[in-house]
């Protein structure tokens, strides 16, 4: 059953709040590695979708080959963002990572979970809320280190 609009808003708001909850310890304990930590987090967020689909072919579900291809391509793109976060000057790295987190909700909301995904229906909305929260936190932060 697909979540209602209200359910999606609640999930998105929960993701937004979760981003602030996760950011507080990063700022406190890893201020110089905050941007690169978020770049790693983006790779993990992108990998959730294809990893959740793994093993479904063995369960004899029909898998549209284009879906995992798109998903793993997104993981590869986020690896490029991670490399950029490591080699670019801190301000540019922060902007790149923030922009990448801001774009990821489009992937979440348009993502075709399909019958072979093990992710719950509410997951794309909570993830999109988290993504936007992280993008906002990185954007408004005046003092940030790579």
């Amino acid at each position: 059953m697909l979540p209602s609009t209200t359910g999606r808003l609640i999930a998105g708001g929960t993701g937004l709040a979760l981003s602030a909850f996760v950011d507080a310890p990063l700022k406190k304990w890893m201020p110089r590695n905050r941007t690169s930590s978020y770049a790693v987090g983006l790779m993990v967020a992108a990998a959730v979708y294809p990893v959740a689909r793994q093993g479904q072919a063995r369960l004899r579900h029909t898998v549209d080959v284009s879906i995992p291809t798109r998903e793993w391509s997104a993981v590869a793109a986020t690896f490029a963002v991670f490399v950029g976060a490591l080699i670019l000057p801190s301000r540019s790295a922060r902007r790149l990572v923030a922009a990448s987190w801001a774009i990821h909700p489009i992937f979440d909301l348009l993502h075709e979970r399909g019958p072979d995904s093990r992710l719950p229906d509410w997951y794309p909305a909570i993830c999109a809320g988290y993504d936007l929260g992280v993008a906002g936190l990185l954007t408004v932060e005046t003092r940030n280190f790579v």
Side-chain angles (χ1 to χ4, degrees):
M1 178 159 104
L2 292 174
S4 65
T5 301
T6 303
R8 285 187 180 118
L9 289 173
I10 291 169
T14 301
L16 193 62
L18 186 60
S19 69
F21 181 73
V22 169
D23 191 55
L26 273 177
K27 274 197 226 180
K28 182 177 181 179
W29 295 316
M30 299 175 60
R32 294 192 183 277
N33 296 317
R34 183 170 170 245
T35 300
S36 57
S37 296
Y38 275 124
V40 169
L42 185 63
M43 287 191 310
V44 171
V48 166
Y49 290 103
V51 168
R53 194 176 307 283
Q54 292 298 313
Q56 294 303 312
R58 282 180 264 145
L59 298 175
R60 295 196 174 103
H61 286 112
T62 304
V63 177
D64 178 356
V65 180
S66 69
I67 295 172
T69 301
R70 288 191 313 259
E71 291 171 342
W72 286 112
S73 296
V75 175
T78 60
F79 179 74
V81 170
F82 171 69
V83 171
L86 294 178
I87 64 173
L88 290 171
S90 63
R91 189 177 208 177
S92 298
R94 190 179 75 240
R95 287 178 179 165
L96 171 66
V97 174
S100 299
W101 277 102
I103 292 168
H104 193 256
I106 295 168
F107 179 77
D108 293 321
L109 296 176
L110 297 178
H111 184 70
E112 181 183 346
R113 285 181 41 258
D116 36 306
S117 176
R118 291 179 269 178
L119 292 174
D121 292 332
W122 51 263
Y123 182 81
I126 201 169
C127 189
Y130 182 85
D131 298 346
L132 291 175
V134 169
L137 288 165
L138 286 171
T139 301
V140 299
E141 182 65 32
T142 57
R143 183 176 168 186
N144 191 344
F145 304 98
V146 173

